[in-house]
Amino acid sequence: MVLIALMNSGLAAAEARKIEITAKRFEYSPAEITIKRGETVTLVVRSLDVAHGLKFKELEAQTEIPKGRTAELTLTPTQAGTFVGQCSHFCGSGHGQMKLTLHVTD
Ligand SMILES: [Cu+2]
């Protein structure tokens, strides 16, 4: 385990840069985001249709986005690399292709 994920931390969330993402069948928009290693960011994910999820397996971080609602996921990656977040709530035929790519730069 090389990465630390902070979830539901009030202090981290208050200091974090917020990145707004929309989720709808079967994509996140934007589909790719870039942050710096060690930077704490809060992904503010809004579902425009049904319930979705977002799971970064390697970061051990995930959230559920209820139908039509917004959920937040706060991350502080400690290593550079590319990490793929996957919708973790079955939302239909294209569910398996619903991905968000997180680039972490040095
Ligand atoms: Cu899905």
Side-chain angles (χ1 to χ4, degrees):
M1 195 60 222
V2 294
L3 294 141
I4 297 170
L6 298 173
M7 299 174 68
N8 301 319
S9 165
L11 180 62
E15 297 173 344
R17 177 163 70 96
K18 296 199 172 191
I19 299 175
E20 295 190 357
I21 295 165
T22 58
K24 65 178 181 181
R25 295 188 180 105
F26 296 102
E27 62 182 6
Y28 299 99
S29 180
E32 296 194 32
I33 57 176
T34 301
I35 67 172
K36 289 181 180 164
R37 181 170 61 87
E39 181 183 13
T40 299
V41 297
T42 296
L43 308 183
V44 182
V45 189
R46 173 178 293 276
S47 170
L48 300 183
D49 46 27
V50 300
H52 294 286
L54 178 59
K55 180 176 185 178
F56 289 93
K57 190 175 178 185
E58 293 172 275
L59 304 180
E60 295 186 348
Q62 65 178 314
T63 190
E64 280 278 314
I65 308 109
K67 175 181 179 180
R69 302 284 296 274
T70 298
E72 296 191 351
L73 183 62
T74 298
L75 302 167
T76 309
T78 58
Q79 182 165 310
T82 298
F83 306 94
V84 177
Q86 167 73 54
C87 181
S88 55
H89 188 112
F90 183 77
C91 56
S93 61
H95 167 72
Q97 283 71 53
M98 189 166 169
K99 293 178 172 137
L100 172 63
T101 301
L102 173 67
H103 299 284
V104 180
T105 61
D106 267 318

